[in-house]
Amino acid sequence: MNILGIIFSYSDRENLRELTKRRTLASLPMAGKFRIIDFVVSNFVNDGIYDVSVIARNNYHSLMDHLGSGKEWDLIRKRGGLRVLTPYARSDNEKVGLYRGTIEALASNMHSIRRSMGEYVILSGSSILYSMDFNDLVEKHIQSNADITAVYTRDLNGFPTVPMGVSILRFNDHNRLYDMTINMEDMSQHGITWSTEVFVIRKSLLESLVADAIAYGRYDFLEDILKRSVNNLNIQGYEYKGHLLEFSSVAGYMQANMNFLNREFRGKAFKRPIYTKSKDSVPARYYEGCQVKNSIISDGCRIEGTIENSIISRDVRIGKGAVVKNSIIMQNTEIMKDVLLDHVILDKDVIVRENRRLSGHVTYPVVVEKASIV
Amino acid sequence: MTYHQKKEVIAMLLAGGQGSRLGVLTDHVAKPAIPFGGKYRIIDFPLSNCVNSGIDTIGVLTQYQPLELNTYIGSGQPWDLDRLYGGSFILPPYVKGKAGEWYKGTANAIYQNIKFIDLYDPDYVLILSGDHIYKMNYNLMLKYHKEKKADCTIAVIQVPWEEAGRFGVMNADADLRIREFEEKPKEPKSNLASMGVYIFSWQKLKEYLLKDKEDKDSQSDFGKNIIPTMLNQGEKLYAYEFKGYWKDVGTIESLWEANMDTLNQDVPLELDDPPWRIYSRSSNLPPQFIGEHAQLINSSIADGCFINGTVENSILFPGVQIEKGAVISNSILMPGVVVDENAVVEYAIIANKGKVGQGVHIGYWKLPEIGGKHRNITVIGQEVLVAAGAVVPAGAIVGENVIEEV
């Protein structure tokens, strides 16, 4: 079975403040050495799907840099492989850059999508799911004679309430979608079926739906295709029972990361390999006097201070007497002597000089922008 | 038409030796494939040195237990050796005409691959082995070779006089022209030891390899035959003095020491060296997790480890698991080793996927009773299980599962 994976690397409803100022959602660091996109790309590759397109919209420099040729995901292929689809200028259309919606993004990349040998398309957003059986998903899609299959979950792991902007999908007794709404308030998730932003559709149907929507000036896949078509298309539900990490706020991003401090969660998340760009850093080095508890540490780190309940990316240096708690520290950051950090997210290449103290709260972590000096 | 593409220099890496002095560590793998320094294998050093020196064509000659080495090198991609023209090539012995033969000596191995080398029409051939840990710019040595208009240049390093007898020793003039080569001399006349790194002008080497083939008594070894013969014939052989860290890791003791050197900031072997990185194939494991009960002192820990015990002066390779209450000190734990609760491991090397049960004591040392000053390293072989409660005394070499006290 030929399947094409299409990943949207951005989200219209995230508010990740400084974290996505200079990068797209999908290239946000996650769980130490990974980027968000590593999880979904690895899920495709682990399921034998080697034809993957990533749709980029803006701020995609770091995403391109991360994905490169795709060799780390085994996606250098003559048949299929990795393609990053970026916005481009056309001589007859001066509008470049921001797509007005997901349909416009698909439409402007249709030449590439059409060329793929995939018969079915799996559309995915950039949230963290790692153990979806994509082959089973497509099989069920075919068996159920669905026009579109929408994947839902009952459990957005790690969140007591569900952030605004996530779509709620409602299915009838025949597992057919009859309504779709956007969550407008933080609500308890009991008994609710949330969209995972993963959909299966035959490629030829996607092509005609997109062409049709564009002709009518409609731009959003969820609103203008899914919601409008509940009566004339057979949209079936498929339940994803693994964990889904979804984030649209900084607090949510932090919580999502902290899930990885749980041994059982890690066991499931890393049951199959998650591939990422290789940096050839040395193993982490721990020096006399360091104290590390309940934390994830990546290679290339040099640790002399204290770390608790934190997630540390590659090539981070933590000096003597420094204390880092409940924080996320991204790559190549230097934390000097006697610094105190609590509930802080340090972006890449930050330097925190001696004796500085920064403290946020679980509901509002302090974010320090990339390459800042504190 | 065809394009003629020539390489000025190519490297031939002798990776076929068994490394029998490493005991159970080479039961399943060739010496160059042995893990080193927390995430590398010995062969990563010569391969990375080549790539960092601008040498992009490397023949890797294998013979003993080659499977793991073959899979490890694969397409050569981790070292940038997947090239359009050139790259890395695994060269095992093969059948020629009606018969084939094993590689009978280091020079014979090169002799059997003359056709491979000629494909690249090189001016120079760099001969390397897979038993040493060092960072070296071969390009500087090649420049020296050209300046001296040498036929062969041998990299040498000064060793303490009392140890010189363990090496191949060069007796050279003041301008470093080699007059005599002595293999493991009883009374060394020089302390310049051969590092096992040679650059030959290819046409000259080829001539001597062909001659050596005719000599029925020759062992076809560089040190014993080719180099002495070249000296006898008055060829120009020069020593190239290397000043830096270099260690032969052919014994358990030296392998342990060289690993420990990576933890010692006074030893000039910096692996965290961006302009001269040592590349290796990634384990693709998630980052390490350090648990509630961990105590870490002067140690190097790799991806995929789970640490909930005490680790001191030790090197833990990818995927090692240390449970609560376990104490690891002065030890090297290779990929995938599992140490259960309350076990003690000291002065030991545990090979890939070894399993240490609850409360086990590895490297148990009774100083007063033995009366020795020297603490021997304990070795646990690949996939060996040491069952709960067992005590393995210092210096034991364990190749089979241990159910009770040794």
Side-chain angles (χ1 to χ4, degrees), chain B residues 34-277:
Chain B
I34 288 180
F36 180 85
K39 70 178 277 195
Y40 310 97
R41 297 187 188 231
I42 295 170
I43 197 168
D44 290 331
F45 286 79
L47 288 178
S48 303
N49 284 339
C50 279
V51 172
N52 290 334
S53 305
I55 297 170
D56 62 13
T57 304
I58 306 171
V60 180
L61 296 101
T62 59
Q63 179 154 285
Y64 174 80
Q65 290 283 18
L67 297 182
E68 188 148 336
L69 204 51
N70 292 354
T71 14
Y72 184 68
I73 293 176
S75 68
Q77 182 256 314
W79 303 270
D80 260 356
L81 287 170
D82 48 340
R83 308 290 300 236
L84 274 183
Y85 186 68
S88 57
F89 299 88
I90 301 277
L91 303 171
Y94 60 97
V95 175
K96 303 156 195 80
K98 281 183 184 151
E101 51 180 342
W102 295 106
Y103 294 149
K104 286 180 304 230
T106 49
N108 180 258
I110 304 297
Y111 169 84
Q112 292 198 38
N113 287 288
I114 286 177
K115 280 186 182 160
F116 168 81
I117 298 170
D118 276 339
L119 285 177
Y120 294 95
D121 188 21
D123 298 324
Y124 308 100
V125 173
L126 170 67
I127 309 284
L128 301 169
S129 61
D131 340 20
H132 305 121
I133 301 299
Y134 62 115
K135 297 195 300 183
M136 179 176 180
N137 190 339
Y138 302 133
N139 207 20
L140 297 177
M141 179 172 167
L142 180 63
K143 210 172 140 215
Y144 175 92
H145 179 85
K146 288 190 258 182
E147 277 165 15
K148 293 284 185 187
K149 297 191 170 58
D151 299 305
C152 168
T153 300
I154 301 174
V156 296
I157 188 161
Q158 285 202 20
V159 294
W161 277 96
E162 59 273 21
E163 286 177 26
R166 287 172 33 210
F167 296 95
V169 167
M170 307 291 153
N171 304 325
D173 294 346
D175 72 340
L176 291 174
R177 178 153 180 184
I178 299 167
R179 294 299 170 188
E180 195 186 4
F181 176 89
E182 290 181 293
E183 189 70 40
K184 300 193 174 95
K186 285 204 180 85
E187 285 172 26
K189 294 177 208 133
S190 152
N191 67 338
L192 292 179
S194 165
M195 294 166 62
V197 174
Y198 312 108
I199 291 177
F200 287 95
S201 296
W202 172 232
Q203 290 310 324
K204 191 64 86 174
L205 174 61
K206 195 169 156 184
E207 182 190 320
Y208 278 89
L209 289 174
L210 293 169
K211 270 190 218 159
D212 179 77
K213 181 65 183 167
E214 301 307 310
D215 179 358
K216 295 277 174 282
D217 299 326
S218 172
Q219 292 172 266
S220 297
D221 183 89
F222 278 106
K224 289 179 193 142
N225 309 101
I226 302 291
I227 290 165
T229 310
M230 285 179 80
L231 283 170
N232 283 339
Q233 300 290 315
E235 304 289 0
K236 287 169 77 180
L237 282 78
Y238 279 88
Y240 172 77
E241 202 179 340
F242 174 71
K243 291 193 169 113
Y245 181 93
W246 175 85
K247 195 152 192 136
D248 182 301
V249 287
T251 62
I252 299 283
E253 197 89 357
S254 63
L255 179 68
W256 181 86
E257 275 174 20
N259 269 286
M260 290 302 152
D261 282 346
T262 66
L263 292 180
N264 185 344
Q265 282 167 304
D266 300 330
V267 172
L269 176 68
E270 180 54 83
L271 298 178
D272 192 1
D273 181 6
W276 206 270
R277 272 191 208 286

Side-chain angles (χ1 to χ4, degrees), chain A residues 31-34 71 260-261 263 266 270 273-275 278-288 290-300 302 309, chain B residues 37-40 77 80 262-263 265 270-272 277 279-280 284-292 294-303 306 321 323:
Chain A
K33 67 186 251 195
F34 302 105
K71 70 177 174 189
F260 288 91
L261 296 181
R263 192 174 190 175
R266 277 199 313 280
F270 298 123
I274 305 296
Y275 301 98
S278 152
K279 289 263 189 220
D280 292 288
S281 301
V282 294
R285 278 281 278 120
Y286 297 90
Y287 296 92
E288 205 89 41
C290 74
Q291 281 287 342
V292 185
K293 282 192 190 340
N294 197 40
S295 294
I296 283 177
I297 314 286
S298 310
D299 51 11
R302 290 168 168 265
N309 306 324
Chain B
K39 70 178 277 195
Y40 310 97
Q77 182 256 314
D80 260 356
T262 66
L263 292 180
Q265 282 167 304
E270 180 54 83
L271 298 178
D272 192 1
R277 272 191 208 286
Y279 300 101
S280 64
N284 288 318
L285 287 169
Q288 58 200 275
F289 179 80
I290 311 297
E292 225 31 75
Q295 277 292 338
L296 309 173
I297 303 148
N298 190 38
S299 294
S300 159
I301 301 180
D303 274 350
F306 171 87
Q321 191 176 325
E323 294 295 347

Side-chain angles (χ1 to χ4, degrees), chain B residues 306-350:
Chain B
F306 171 87
I307 314 292
N308 213 7
T310 299
V311 181
E312 185 172 3
N313 300 326
S314 294
I315 294 173
L316 274 48
F317 282 78
V320 168
Q321 191 176 325
I322 309 292
E323 294 295 347
K324 198 171 146 186
V327 178
I328 315 296
S329 65
N330 301 294
S331 295
I332 297 156
L333 273 52
M334 292 185 179
V337 167
V338 177
V339 179
D340 259 337
E341 292 180 10
N342 302 319
V344 174
V345 177
E346 36 187 358
Y347 291 89
I349 299 176
I350 305 183

Side-chain angles (χ1 to χ4, degrees), chain B residues 22-37:
Chain B
L22 287 168
V24 294
L25 293 177
T26 50
D27 276 357
H28 305 283
V29 296
K31 179 156 70 170
I34 288 180
F36 180 85

Side-chain angles (χ1 to χ4, degrees), chain A residues 92-370:
Chain A
D92 59 341
N93 177 2
E94 285 170 16
K95 289 194 299 291
V96 192
L98 295 187
Y99 300 127
R100 277 168 288 181
T102 39
I103 292 177
E104 201 169 52
L106 289 168
S108 68
N109 291 297
M110 202 43 93
H111 59 286
S112 164
I113 294 169
R114 204 173 284 130
R115 220 169 39 215
S116 154
M117 278 177 275
E119 188 182 351
Y120 292 92
V121 175
I122 295 177
L123 296 169
S124 165
S126 283
S127 43
I128 299 233
L129 37 82
Y130 46 81
S131 64
M132 187 173 293
D133 186 338
F134 284 144
N135 292 307
D136 182 61
L137 170 62
V138 174
E139 250 165 58
K140 294 280 154 48
H141 171 81
I142 296 167
Q143 280 167 17
S144 66
N145 282 318
D147 295 310
I148 298 176
T149 297
V151 183
Y152 64 87
T153 180
R154 292 175 196 278
D155 174 30
L156 286 174
N157 185 278
F159 295 91
T161 58
V162 175
M164 282 195 291
V166 177
S167 357
I168 304 167
L169 303 176
R170 293 193 175 84
F171 299 93
N172 68 15
D173 295 345
H174 303 289
N175 204 26
R176 182 168 167 177
L177 184 77
Y178 71 89
D179 194 18
M180 192 207 90
T181 51
I182 305 287
N183 185 31
M184 292 311 285
E185 55 184 325
D186 283 5
M187 58 191 287
S188 150
Q189 56 176 291
H190 181 71
I192 291 173
T193 45
W194 304 101
S195 171
T196 62
E197 295 183 76
V198 174
F199 302 94
V200 187
I201 184 168
R202 187 186 280 272
K203 198 174 79 185
S204 51
L205 178 60
L206 179 71
E207 285 173 32
S208 60
L209 288 175
V210 166
D212 206 39
I214 286 289
Y216 282 99
R218 297 173 184 150
Y219 302 111
D220 188 65
F221 184 79
L222 291 176
E223 280 293 317
D224 298 325
I225 290 185
L226 217 58
K227 201 169 173 181
R228 273 172 186 273
S229 312
V230 289
N231 291 321
N232 47 23
L233 291 179
N234 177 11
I235 304 173
Q236 290 282 317
Y238 178 92
E239 185 172 359
Y240 168 64
K241 288 184 174 143
H243 295 290
L244 176 81
L245 300 183
E246 231 280 350
F247 20 75
S248 47
S249 67
V250 173
Y253 168 72
M254 189 138 192
Q255 279 183 351
N257 261 287
M258 293 305 168
N259 275 296
F260 288 91
L261 296 181
N262 178 298
R263 192 174 190 175
E264 196 194 332
F265 182 87
R266 277 199 313 280
K268 288 179 185 167
F270 298 123
K271 194 170 176 195
R272 300 194 292 179
I274 305 296
Y275 301 98
T276 190
K277 187 179 175 182
S278 152
K279 289 263 189 220
D280 292 288
S281 301
V282 294
R285 278 281 278 120
Y286 297 90
Y287 296 92
E288 205 89 41
C290 74
Q291 281 287 342
V292 185
K293 282 192 190 340
N294 197 40
S295 294
I296 283 177
I297 314 286
S298 310
D299 51 11
C301 287
R302 290 168 168 265
I303 317 278
E304 295 177 82
T306 297
I307 305 173
E308 277 176 38
N309 306 324
S310 294
I311 293 181
I312 316 290
S313 288
R314 291 160 166 165
D315 300 318
V316 171
R317 287 135 290 160
I318 298 185
K320 270 203 169 60
V323 178
V324 177
K325 286 183 179 174
N326 311 308
S327 294
I328 297 172
I329 311 296
M330 298 185 193
Q331 278 191 46
N332 203 27
T333 286
E334 182 162 10
I335 297 168
M336 296 187 173
K337 269 197 248 171
D338 303 318
V339 164
L340 186 89
L341 303 178
D342 190 11
H343 286 102
V344 170
I345 299 175
L346 293 189
D347 209 323
K348 281 173 69 175
D349 304 319
V350 165
I351 298 173
V352 184
R353 293 207 190 280
E354 292 178 19
N355 293 311
R356 306 286 193 265
R357 274 142 206 262
L358 291 173
S359 180
H361 186 262
V362 65
T363 56
Y364 198 91
V366 172
V367 178
V368 179
E369 208 178 314
K370 187 173 167 182

